[in-house]
């Protein structure tokens, strides 16, 4: 019952690991991605098959530095040349698995190391060569791995993968090598996951055996591998086949044979390494979970940067179309052309009755000028919107560019991330035109009291429309201080005109609608500009379910692994 | 002689150049600050500091270091080269934990060794003049579990003049050596050698294969110029020839220069790739286009139209027939309105400065014009410079806006009557006098006879009374000249408007040049100057 629990938990973890994607280039992502990949391989190569088949032969992986003599050791252990050795480095490119002929069925299939094709003769990439050898006891297989520190990157990666799949590490080093940093990195990992390790010290000068082996034993003890078996092979001549004299490997052979022959000892070795691997996994997977979370946080912050820039643009445009700053320069000049100069000001001060005639006089025959006011507003609004949208794009670019993940996202784009979209100019002018059309439509759809009909006709729909636009730009934001001077005067004029036509309440309603219409259109445009950045991030979403699944699987593993008899290092099988 | 000696000889030609190249690179650093990646600048600064210190401390000494992995036999080789037993040789790994220096000559170069932070120092009496000025260093390993050792190596590899990599058949293909050191040092192939040690543990054939393999690995990293010497300390094989090569390096006295020269080149190159190849130039058309784009913010269009209208009105008033043409009054100056409305706006103060004038729209227009201008110039520049150009264009935006506003509100000079207008005016007066006199004459006869005076003698010419000869042509010529004047004033007004426009645009151009173009030009000059200096530093 419990065993099933552990298996299903591991399967869940495996599925979640396989689904991991860390698309943002964060410092944590590389390490986490690498770890997830390696952990996935170890689950497939070792943990899952080993849990399923506890009686499978013990797999001893011989690993070590380039030139340490791995192939020579494997050949000597077997008693014949199964793996070619050479003075050139690196030598072992295709890993060789030596097994007893009776154990063939264990290794022939994809049960373990499914990523490597089985191949008994030829050497090519990503293969595992099988060599049957009757001299090897049943229940034990030896795998000759590539160099852990070779200049060939694939060799290094494969060696790491194979060592992760070992029930037993036979770690080979030499009197020259034993203090190298790279092997000790591997040994540290072995210690972390409590793997069963045997260290073989090769090529020890006869005079220094004691000193060197003592020193090495001390180093092992300091690094938590004190219980590891340590074998010494003195510097010696190889025989004609390049094999070590049998006497020198007898001790190792004896130890291995004993391990292979004793089911209980074998089980213990398996339980130790397997349990350690699972425990190490429980310790390391949370780092992946936190890397996943970091991705989400970083993605959200990139989104927020883009969103903030365009939010600001929206606020700025909304302010500037309401605080009177639109009523300057060209717009103001055309408006003045339209309404005339001093006379108009005097006119609006007079009674509404006489105003009608005056307005009629001033506006009659000037619908061309009303159109010009409209054009000036169109041009001004257009450039204002474009400028703010461009500035927002620049802000997004600068913010992303100073973020390592963001910089990666905008690198190599075929469009300039610091600029507005190619459609922006057309979209902005289309926006303004559509808004103006809407304003005119609103004006034409608003009921005009009978007594104002004549006034309305005199002004023309364009005249009323631009008056409304002017009123919107000045009115809705509420003017302050000096602004009232010009904009206020201008707006009061427009307001009087409009009120003369529609009445006070209707004018307020119209202005509100016109401003809302404009604001809505502008936020639509800015949203579509912003969406360019969002869509860049859409492809970089992290599946948030995976982090949860990983965490859940870990909890399940933690709960079940302590009760799982297969991982019990002590007794059970021994007592039996 | 051999490839390496020639290389070194070639480099020695640059010895005297080194100082000027260092100086050039220093100047570049000041120029590119803020425009080039910060880490690049820090690295270059580091190189310059080291070069300065090294040349200041001891120019005549040559520092050669033995570097290698644990157990490759650095210390044995060191002992063999020095002929003494300085360095401890042992089976315990890692053995050498501190760098050690041996100097041949009469005096220890204490300052140099202090700078190299080497504590263990030995002075050897030199019976061989060729060894004078040699500082030989035995370094700790770089691949053991002791991180401190690696740190020492990493520090010294950057500062010594020449390097001898000691490898053995077991470790010659380690990634730690090739990936960690040789590949990044590919620029320094000429000042590096490889001592392939422990030749005695392999047969000669095997050893040759290993050396060939090492050669291949070196060449893969562009280290073709790095020589390999096969050594076996126990049999003294190769040690004399290695020593020979060291001596030649010392004798050429260029190892230091070669090393520093390389350092400078690499540093200069790292900046060169962030400078781009081309320097954009601001041309007159771009300035004109920029001025044109912002001219409306300075009210140019508005004013030009007003001026044309003023000339038209005034000209027509002068030349036109008095009873037909409108009267011209300076008081109704069409410019007045423009000025008045803008004056009010200028009086407003706002936090953002002159944004009040021309409002947000005007500011947006100017910003867009500046962006177009900066973008066109920045096209093709590396991103840091693009940003710098755009910043420079916008740096004085507020002053630019203010000065454009000044142009908009400045008074235009009152217009002066033109010469041909006076001819029309004179003709007009003559015609008017004719009409008035003719009318007087016509009216004079009946009035005189009323008061009993004798009538004026009826003067006729071609049967038409004389007064009519005065009135009719006077009227006809007067009206015709008025119409002709109207026609002639139009092109004049257009012309005057054009002249005024040109003057205004000139002013706008001057403002734009001072506030936007010049800052941008300064940035572009900075690039050009950096490029020149970097080229000098690279040479």
């Amino acid at each position: 019952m419990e065993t099933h629990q552990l298996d299903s938990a591991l399967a869940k973890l495996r599925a979640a690991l396989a689904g991991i994607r860390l698309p943002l280039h964060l410092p944590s992502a590389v390490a986490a991605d690498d770890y997830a990949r390696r952990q996935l391989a170890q689950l497939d190569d070792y943990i899952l098959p080993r849990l399923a088949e506890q009686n499978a032969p013990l797999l001893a992986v011989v690993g070590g530095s380039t030139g340490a003599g791995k192939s020579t050791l494997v050949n000597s252990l077997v008693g014949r040349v199964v793996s070619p050795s050479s003075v050139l480095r690196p030598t072992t490119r295709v890993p060789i698995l030596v097994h007893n002929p009776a154990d063939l069925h264990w290794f022939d299939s994809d049960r373990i190391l499914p990523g490597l094709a089985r191949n008994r003769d030829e050497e090519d990439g990503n293969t595992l060569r099988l060599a049957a050898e009757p001299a090897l006891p049943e229940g034990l297989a030896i795998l000759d791995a590539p160099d852990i520190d070779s200049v060939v990157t694939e060799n290094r990666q494969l060696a790491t993968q194979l060592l992760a799949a070992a029930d037993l590490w036979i770690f080979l080093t030499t009197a020259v090598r034993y203090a190298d940093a790279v092997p000790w990195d591997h040994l540290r990992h072995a210690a972390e996951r409590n793997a069963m390790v045997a260290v073989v010290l090769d090529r020890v000068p006869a005079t220094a055996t004691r000193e060197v082996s003592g020193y090495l034993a001390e180093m092992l003890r300091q690094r938590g591998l004190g219980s590891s078996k340590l074998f010494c092979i003195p510097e010696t001549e190889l025989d004609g086949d390049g094999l070590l004299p049998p006497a020198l490997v007898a001790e190792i052979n004896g130890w291995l044979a004993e391990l292979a022959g004793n089911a209980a000892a074998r089980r213990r070795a398996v339980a130790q390494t397997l349990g350690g691997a699972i425990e190490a996994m429980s310790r390391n997977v949370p780092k992946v979970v936190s890397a996943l979370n970091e991705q989400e946080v970083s993605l959200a912050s990139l989104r927020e940067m883009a969103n903030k820039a365009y939010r600001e643009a929206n606020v700025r445009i909304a302010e500037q179309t309401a605080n009177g700053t639109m009523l300057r320069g060209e717009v103001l000049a055309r408006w003045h052309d339209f309404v005339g100069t001093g006379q108009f000001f005097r006119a609006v001060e007079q009674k509404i009755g006489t105003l009608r005639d005056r307005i009629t006089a001033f506006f009659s025959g000037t619908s061309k000028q009303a159109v010009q006011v409209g054009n000036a507003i169109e041009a001004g609004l257009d450039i204002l919107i474009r400028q703010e949208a461009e500035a927002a794009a620049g802000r997004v670019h600068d913010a992303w560019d100073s973020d390592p993940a963001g910089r990666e996202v905008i690198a190599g784009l075929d469009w300039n991330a610091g600029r507005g979209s190619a459609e922006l100019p057309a979209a902005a002018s289309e926006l303004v035109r559509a808004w103006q059309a809407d304003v005119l439509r609103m004006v034409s759809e608003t009921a005009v009291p009978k007594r104002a009909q004549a006034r309305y006709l005199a002004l023309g729909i364009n005249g009323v429309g631009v008056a409304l636009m002017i009123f919107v730009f000045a009115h809705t934001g509420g003017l302050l201080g000096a602004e009232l001077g010009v904009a206020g005067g201008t707006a009061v004029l427009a307001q009087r005109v409009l009120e003369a036509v529609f009445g006070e309440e209707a004018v307020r309603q119209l202005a509100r609608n016109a401003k809302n219409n404009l604001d809505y259109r502008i936020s639509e445009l800015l949203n579509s500009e912003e969406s360019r950045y969002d869509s860049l991030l859409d492809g970089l979403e992290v599946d948030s379910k995976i982090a949860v699944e990983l965490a859940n699987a870990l909890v399940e593993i933690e709960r079940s692994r302590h009760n799982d008899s297969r991982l019990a290092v002590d007794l059970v099988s021994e007592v039996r | 002689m051999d490839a390496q000696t020639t290389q070194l000889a070639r480099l020695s030609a640059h010895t005297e150049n080194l100082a000027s190249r260092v100086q050039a690179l220093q100047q570049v650093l000041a120029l590119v600050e803020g425009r080039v990646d910060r880490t690049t600048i820090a690295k270059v600064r580091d190189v310059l500091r080291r070069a300065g210190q090294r040349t200041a401390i001891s120019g005549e000494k040559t520092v050669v270091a033995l570097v290698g992995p644990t157990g490759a036999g650095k210390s044995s080789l060191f002992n063999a080269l020095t002929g003494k037993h300085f360095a401890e040789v042992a089976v315990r790994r890692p053995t050498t934990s501190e760098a050690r220096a041996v100097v041949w000559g009469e005096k220890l170069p204490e300052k140099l060794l202090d700078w190299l932070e080497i504590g263990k120092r030995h002075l050897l009496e030199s019976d061989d003049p060729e060894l004078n000025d040699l500082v030989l260093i035995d370094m700790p390993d770089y691949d053991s579990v002791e991180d401190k050792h690696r740190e020492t190596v990493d520090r010294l590899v950057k500062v010594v003049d020449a390097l001898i990599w000691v490898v053995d058949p077991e470790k010659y293909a380690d990634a730690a050596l090739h990936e960690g050191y040789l590949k990044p040092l590919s620029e320094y192939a000429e000042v590096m050698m490889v001592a392939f040690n422990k030749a005695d543990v392999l047969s000669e054939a095997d050893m040759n294969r290993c050396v060939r393999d090492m050669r291949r690995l070196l060449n893969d990293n562009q280290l073709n110029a790095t020589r390999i010497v096969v050594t076996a300390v126990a049999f003294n094989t190769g040690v004399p020839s290695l020593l020979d090569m060291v001596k030649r390096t010392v004798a050429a006295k260029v190892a230091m220069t070669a090393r520093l020269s390389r350092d400078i080149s690499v540093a200069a190159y790292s900046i060169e790739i962030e400078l781009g190849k081309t320097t954009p130039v601001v041309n007159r058309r771009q300035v004109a286009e920029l001025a044109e784009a912002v001219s409306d913010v300075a009210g140019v269009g508005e004013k030009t139209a007003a001026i044309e209208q003023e000339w038209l009105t005034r000209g027509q008033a002068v030349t036109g027939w008095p009873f037909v043409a409108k009267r011209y009054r300076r008081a109704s100056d069409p410019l007045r309105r423009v000025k008045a409305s803008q004056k009010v706006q200028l009086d407003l103060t706002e936090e953002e400065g002159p944004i009040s004038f021309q409002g947000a729209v005007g500011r947006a227009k100017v910003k867009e014009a500046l962006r177009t201008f900066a973008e066109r110039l920045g096209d093709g520049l590396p991103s840091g410079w693009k940003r710098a150009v755009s910043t420079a264009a916008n740096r004085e935006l507020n002053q630019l806006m203010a000065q454009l506003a000044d142009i908009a509100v400045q008074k235009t000079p009152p217009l002066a009557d033109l010469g041909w207008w006076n001819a029309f005016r004179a003709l007009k007066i003559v015609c008017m006098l004719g009409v008035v006199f003719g009318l007087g004459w016509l009216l004079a006869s009946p009035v005189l006879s009323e008061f009993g005076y004798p009538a004026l003698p009826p003067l006729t010419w071609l049967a038409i009374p004389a007064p009519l000869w005065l009135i009719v042509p006077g009227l006809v010529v007067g009206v015709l000249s008025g119409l002709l004047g109207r026609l002639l004033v139009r092109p004049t007004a257009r012309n005057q408007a054009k002249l005024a426009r040109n003057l205004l645009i000139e002013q706008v151009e001057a403002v734009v040049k001072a506030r936007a173009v010049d800052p941008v030009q300064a940035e572009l000059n900075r690039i050009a100057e950096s490029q020149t200096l970097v080229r000098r530093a690279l040479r």
Side-chain angles (χ1 to χ4, degrees):
Chain A
M1 191 62 220
E2 303 132 6
T3 60
H4 286 297
Q5 227 174 31
L6 182 60
D7 291 359
S8 79
L10 285 170
K12 277 181 206 160
L13 186 75
R14 193 213 167 277
L17 278 175
I20 281 181
R21 244 166 40 87
L22 301 160
L24 289 179
H25 289 247
L26 296 174
S28 65
V30 181
D33 200 42
D34 194 46
Y35 172 75
R37 208 172 31 71
R38 275 189 286 118
Q39 193 54 65
L40 192 63
Q42 198 197 20
L43 276 166
D44 286 344
D45 291 346
Y46 178 63
I47 297 180
L48 293 175
R50 180 43 92 187
L51 268 179
E53 294 289 352
Q54 292 208 280
N55 296 322
L58 198 70
L59 182 65
V61 175
V62 180
S65 305
T66 156
K70 288 182 301 298
S71 298
T72 308
L73 179 69
V74 172
N75 292 342
S76 305
L77 287 175
V78 185
R80 75 176 175 93
V81 177
V82 284
S83 178
S85 62
S86 158
V87 290
L88 291 190
R89 317 279 167 231
T91 340
T92 309
R93 288 168 200 278
V94 173
I96 295 165
L97 195 154
V98 192
H99 57 88
N100 186 288
D103 286 334
L104 176 63
H105 64 282
W106 292 113
F107 302 108
D108 211 12
S109 62
D110 280 352
R111 190 185 63 88
I112 60 161
L113 298 168
L116 299 173
R118 302 301 188 265
N119 187 328
R120 278 190 209 83
D121 315 300
E122 288 308 306
E123 293 196 1
D124 55 45
N126 262 355
T127 55
L128 178 65
R129 231 180 79 197
L130 297 183
E133 180 52 53
L136 212 64
E138 257 182 76
L140 177 76
I142 297 179
L143 203 164
D144 184 9
D147 314 322
I148 51 168
D149 51 5
S150 146
V151 275
V152 185
T153 316
E154 296 80 56
N155 275 6
R156 291 203 297 269
Q157 286 169 349
L158 184 56
T160 311
Q161 185 190 351
L162 291 175
L163 282 170
D167 290 311
L168 165 65
W169 290 36
I170 298 180
F171 210 87
L172 187 63
T173 185
T174 68
V176 171
R177 289 273 188 191
Y178 68 85
D180 282 11
V182 179
W184 280 104
D185 265 356
H186 284 269
L187 285 171
R188 190 168 48 79
H189 282 132
E192 261 172 28
R193 67 175 104 125
N194 199 22
M196 192 167 179
V197 178
V199 176
V200 179
L201 183 62
D202 197 6
R203 302 203 194 123
V204 189
T207 50
T209 314
R210 267 188 101 86
E211 190 185 351
V212 173
S213 65
Y215 187 52
L216 178 57
E218 174 61 21
M219 285 176 86
L220 284 169
R221 204 182 52 73
Q222 281 173 0
R223 287 162 175 80
L225 290 164
S227 60
S228 305
K229 200 93 176 119
L230 174 60
F231 301 98
C232 280
I233 302 176
E235 179 115 61
T236 180
E237 291 283 315
L238 302 182
D239 71 9
D241 291 331
L243 301 184
L244 293 162
L248 295 183
V249 291
E251 195 190 349
I252 310 176
N253 258 338
W255 181 69
L256 286 174
E258 194 189 313
L259 208 54
N262 182 342
R266 218 166 69 201
R267 262 199 123 113
R268 213 168 29 238
V270 168
Q272 179 189 336
T273 306
L274 185 60
I278 294 176
E279 195 193 330
M281 189 165 69
S282 307
R283 249 181 290 123
N284 288 322
V285 168
K287 289 179 201 154
V288 180
V289 175
S290 75
L292 279 168
N293 291 339
E294 258 180 65
Q295 294 266 321
E296 276 188 80
V297 170
S298 174
L299 196 71
S301 111
L302 289 180
R303 259 189 218 293
E304 171 56 19
M305 287 174 194
N307 191 259
K308 177 162 170 275
Y310 280 96
R311 238 177 16 237
E312 278 170 12
N314 208 339
V315 169
R316 286 178 62 97
I317 300 177
E319 270 173 10
Q320 291 178 99
T321 50
N323 66 5
T325 50
M326 272 296 292
L327 305 179
R328 298 288 156 73
E330 187 75 6
V331 173
L332 190 63
R334 294 289 84 79
W335 172 248
H336 282 169
D337 283 348
F338 177 47
V339 299
T341 45
Q343 285 175 298
F344 196 96
F345 286 95
R346 280 198 303 280
V348 292
E349 295 306 319
Q350 289 170 11
K351 284 197 184 101
I352 211 87
T354 47
L355 180 67
R356 183 183 60 189
D357 308 330
R358 303 251 175 192
I359 286 172
T360 310
F362 288 121
F363 287 99
S364 59
T366 54
S367 82
K368 200 177 101 199
Q369 283 172 317
V371 170
Q372 279 173 351
V373 181
N375 289 346
I377 290 174
E378 184 182 329
L381 203 51
D382 176 53
I383 198 163
L384 186 75
I385 293 170
R386 259 190 297 137
Q387 177 59 38
E388 289 297 344
E390 292 281 2
R395 286 197 296 271
V396 178
H397 178 268
D398 290 351
W400 281 19
D401 197 39
S402 52
D403 178 288
R407 197 174 313 140
E408 204 63 42
V409 174
I410 50 175
L413 284 182
D414 55 357
W415 49 278
N416 185 345
R419 291 293 311 267
S421 69
E423 299 81 39
L424 176 61
S429 54
E430 174 52 34
L431 180 157
V432 179
R433 266 199 300 276
W435 176 66
Q436 290 190 325
D438 276 358
V439 169
L440 294 184
R441 193 177 41 73
M442 281 178 210
V443 167
S444 69
E445 282 172 3
T446 307
V448 180
K450 199 150 203 144
R451 58 184 174 81
Q453 289 283 358
R455 241 170 272 159
Y456 177 80
L457 287 176
L459 283 166
I461 187 167
N462 283 326
V464 180
V466 296
L468 180 57
M469 292 175 208
I470 294 285
F471 183 52
V472 164
F473 292 150
H475 170 77
T476 34
L479 297 173
L480 295 168
E483 284 290 343
L484 273 167
V486 171
T490 313
V492 162
L493 195 61
Q495 188 179 1
R496 293 277 171 87
V497 170
L498 291 167
E499 282 170 1
V501 175
F502 296 115
E504 207 173 317
E505 192 41 49
V507 170
R508 278 179 206 289
Q509 189 58 44
L510 268 176
R512 244 193 322 271
N513 289 348
K515 174 69 171 157
N516 288 344
N517 184 303
L518 180 63
D519 287 349
Y520 173 75
R521 284 178 182 281
I522 287 170
S523 36
E524 286 282 282
L525 176 108
L526 292 177
N527 280 345
S528 108
E529 287 287 301
E530 189 193 331
S531 70
R532 297 176 302 149
Y533 299 97
D534 286 338
S535 66
L536 282 181
L537 299 181
D538 286 344
L540 306 176
E541 287 291 356
V542 174
D543 189 351
S544 51
K545 273 188 305 200
I546 288 200
V548 178
E549 282 166 12
L550 281 176
N552 287 344
L554 275 185
V555 172
E556 263 185 69
I557 291 170
E558 272 307 294
R559 216 175 16 223
S560 49
R561 79 180 166 91
H562 295 295
N563 308 325
D564 199 299
S565 58
R566 292 169 297 183
L567 304 181
V569 178
D570 32 44
L571 52 165
V572 190
S573 43
E574 227 169 10
V575 172
R576 214 188 279 158
Chain B
M1 211 177 107
D2 55 74
Q4 195 167 21
T5 322
T6 356
Q7 282 277 16
L8 292 175
R10 186 172 58 76
L11 284 165
S12 80
H14 300 314
T15 315
E16 62 274 21
N17 259 342
L18 200 61
S20 81
R21 291 174 54 202
V22 166
Q23 200 192 1
L25 198 55
Q26 244 144 10
Q27 288 168 323
V28 169
L29 268 193
L31 287 173
V32 302
E33 182 88 62
R35 279 95 176 152
V36 161
D37 187 49
R38 220 174 296 145
T39 51
T40 309
I41 290 188
K43 272 187 201 154
V44 173
R45 188 162 288 145
D46 201 38
V47 166
L48 283 173
R49 193 175 42 77
R50 276 202 316 262
Q53 290 170 340
R54 176 70 183 92
T55 40
I57 289 169
S58 177
E60 68 273 11
K61 297 284 178 203
T62 301
V63 184
V64 180
L66 295 173
V67 210
T70 56
K74 288 179 303 297
S75 300
S76 335
L77 197 58
F78 185 74
N79 289 346
L81 286 169
T82 55
K84 307 269 173 189
H85 281 273
F86 287 120
E88 173 193 0
V89 179
V91 288
R92 265 175 94 109
R93 308 274 166 239
T95 324
T96 309
S97 57
E98 248 184 278
R100 176 192 303 269
V102 165
V103 183
W104 282 264
E106 275 143 33
K107 209 165 123 275
L108 275 175
E110 303 283 358
K111 258 178 136 179
L112 177 65
L113 294 171
D114 285 348
W115 181 66
L116 293 169
E117 293 175 41
I118 293 176
K120 293 185 175 173
R121 315 162 173 192
H122 308 276
L123 187 66
L124 280 190
E125 243 175 69
S126 161
D127 42 2
D128 185 347
E130 286 184 297
L131 282 173
N132 274 335
D133 297 332
L134 171 64
V135 179
L136 191 66
I137 297 177
D138 181 25
M139 285 209 212
D141 66 88
Y142 55 75
D143 66 343
S144 77
V145 282
E146 301 288 340
D147 290 337
K148 257 217 203 89
H149 294 188
R150 188 163 33 247
E151 283 159 22
T152 307
V153 172
D154 287 350
R155 179 173 60 78
L156 284 171
V157 155
K158 281 190 202 146
V159 292
V160 299
D161 303 327
L163 287 164
I164 300 173
W165 293 95
V166 185
V167 298
D168 70 356
E170 210 178 313
K171 287 190 163 184
Y172 77 88
D174 280 13
L177 171 66
H178 292 274
E179 301 286 323
Y181 291 95
L182 292 181
K183 200 169 176 181
L185 287 169
S186 64
E187 292 284 339
Y188 301 92
E190 288 124 16
V191 290
M192 301 202 297
M193 295 169 233
V194 170
F196 208 127
N197 203 15
K198 295 198 183 168
D200 46 329
V201 302
L202 292 182
S203 71
E204 205 178 326
D206 281 348
M207 191 63 199
N208 284 341
R209 285 173 60 204
C210 283
V211 170
R212 268 202 304 280
D213 202 36
M214 181 66 181
R215 181 80 266 160
R216 177 184 63 82
L217 289 167
L218 287 176
N219 292 359
D220 282 352
N221 287 331
Q222 276 77 48
L223 289 164
N224 306 53
T226 302
R227 290 197 58 186
I228 303 177
V229 183
V230 177
T231 54
V233 177
F235 304 94
N236 208 29
T237 316
V239 177
S241 78
L242 185 64
L243 192 60
D244 230 37
M245 279 171 61
V246 172
K247 281 179 189 168
R248 254 180 295 162
T249 308
V250 176
K253 287 214 179 290
V254 291
M256 180 194 83
T257 324
R259 167 74 207 237
L260 292 179
S261 170
R262 276 286 162 215
D263 286 343
I264 301 291
S265 295
V266 171
Y269 181 69
S270 73
I271 289 189
E272 194 194 28
I273 50 177
E274 292 205 44
L275 279 177
K277 293 263 179 258
T278 54
T279 335
V281 200
V282 185
N283 60 34
R284 291 181 58 103
R285 222 191 60 222
Q286 285 164 327
V287 181
E289 276 171 12
L290 179 58
E292 196 63 48
V294 302
S295 64
D296 274 351
V297 182
V300 172
E302 193 85 352
K303 288 184 99 175
T304 310
I307 286 168
E308 183 168 350
Q309 189 57 46
E310 187 183 14
W311 275 93
L312 212 56
T313 320
R314 170 72 177 159
Q316 284 172 0
V318 171
T319 60
W321 189 235
F323 316 110
V324 185
K326 278 188 208 155
R327 275 181 52 76
Y328 168 78
R329 286 178 300 139
R330 179 72 186 174
S332 68
D333 177 4
L335 282 183
R336 204 191 53 165
R337 208 194 69 222
V338 179
K339 279 189 243 165
S341 71
Q342 282 166 348
K343 197 78 182 168
V344 175
Q345 293 171 47
L346 256 200
D347 292 341
L348 302 173
T349 48
E350 220 180 71
E351 282 166 11
E352 280 199 67
I355 188 179
S356 273
F357 174 73
Q358 297 288 350
V361 173
R363 201 179 171 88
K365 262 186 199 161
V366 173
K367 273 170 131 178
E368 185 179 63
L370 289 175
R371 197 185 46 238
T372 315
F373 175 69
E375 241 167 36
R376 205 175 299 164
L377 283 168
D379 195 34
L381 288 178
S383 66
W385 292 96
K386 240 180 226 171
R387 223 179 2 255
V389 166
S390 148
T391 311
N394 284 288
R395 194 175 302 136
E396 299 178 25
L397 179 64
N398 281 347
Q399 290 96 318
L400 176 61
M401 293 299 294
Q403 289 190 321
L404 289 176
D406 287 345
I407 296 177
V409 298
Q410 85 194 346
K411 284 197 172 59
T412 44
L415 47 80
D417 292 355
L418 300 176
W420 63 266
W421 288 5
N422 289 329
F424 271 82
R425 186 184 276 142
L427 185 61
K428 194 169 76 181
I429 290 170
V430 168
C431 292
M432 268 167 64
L433 284 176
V435 172
V436 169
F437 188 71
L439 279 175
W441 193 344
L442 263 187
L443 293 174
S445 290
V447 170
L448 282 176
S449 59
E450 185 81 10
F451 291 98
Y453 291 103
L456 292 173
L459 256 177
T460 57
W461 190 42
L462 294 179
I464 295 165
L468 286 183
W469 278 110
L470 287 173
I471 294 170
V472 174
L475 277 174
V476 170
V477 172
V479 170
L480 281 179
S481 79
L483 289 175
L484 182 66
R486 245 188 133 79
L487 278 178
L488 290 177
V489 160
R490 220 171 273 282
T492 311
R494 246 200 315 272
N495 205 28
Q496 291 293 341
K498 211 160 123 196
L499 288 176
R501 186 187 153 79
N502 288 348
L503 277 176
L504 285 169
I505 288 282
E506 234 171 71
Q507 286 178 311
V508 173
E509 258 184 46
V511 167
V512 156
K513 198 162 166 349
R515 296 301 178 187
V517 178
D518 285 352
V520 167
Q521 185 62 57
E523 200 61 46
L524 297 179
N525 292 346
R526 209 177 242 268
I527 303 179
E529 204 181 330
S530 308
Q531 284 169 338
T532 317
L533 286 168
V534 156
R535 268 197 294 278
R536 195 179 305 157
L538 270 174
R539 208 174 42 214

